[in-house]
Amino acid sequence: MTQNEIVLFVSGLLIGAQIMAVIVIVMVLDLREARRDLTLAEKHRRRAAADLFLNSFRTYRLENRPPLPQPYQPGEVEAIARDLELSLYDAVDRIEGAARKDGLL
């Protein structure tokens, strides 16, 4: 081998090593991007699973909610008000009786 061929061979090896280094760097950056994409996809998958669970739980709660209380019948409100009024009169009579007994009135 002549000296010129040896120089060309060594320069070819060095250029090949440089090209391989660039290819490795590009591959590593691509792997990082792929890893980021995988992490982001996992995050979105978990969020979608949580949304699905919460929506199904909301549907379950809507289907199984306790019945709404029935409104009062027409005469029932007046009866409750009259009972409260009688209870208040009774309390006032007791207080007045206790005050008379202690000599305050």
Side-chain angles (χ1 to χ4, degrees):
M1 242 185 196
T2 64
Q3 191 164 0
N4 193 19
E5 291 174 336
I6 294 173
V7 169
L8 285 174
F9 178 72
V10 171
S11 63
L13 285 177
L14 292 176
I15 291 173
Q18 289 292 327
I19 291 173
M20 286 301 296
V22 169
I23 290 174
V24 166
I25 289 173
V26 169
M27 287 176 58
V28 166
L29 291 178
D30 190 42
L31 288 176
R32 283 184 187 167
E33 191 67 31
R35 194 170 31 234
R36 283 190 201 118
D37 290 343
L38 184 64
T39 304
L40 190 61
E42 180 71 17
K43 180 180 176 183
H44 288 304
R45 186 189 64 80
R46 286 185 182 186
R47 184 171 291 157
D51 287 343
L52 180 67
F53 170 75
L54 291 176
N55 286 335
S56 65
F57 185 64
R58 181 172 175 259
T59 304
Y60 169 78
R61 287 185 58 202
L62 287 174
E63 289 173 353
N64 296 318
R65 81 166 77 169
L68 296 173
Q70 297 299 320
Y72 291 110
Q73 299 300 324
E76 200 172 358
V77 175
E78 288 84 6
I80 292 171
R82 182 69 182 150
D83 185 42
L84 177 64
E85 184 181 4
L86 292 175
S87 296
L88 288 174
Y89 285 144
D90 185 44
V92 168
D93 287 342
R94 286 184 185 187
I95 292 171
E96 185 179 351
R100 287 189 192 281
K101 182 178 172 185
D102 290 341
L104 298 174
L105 290 178

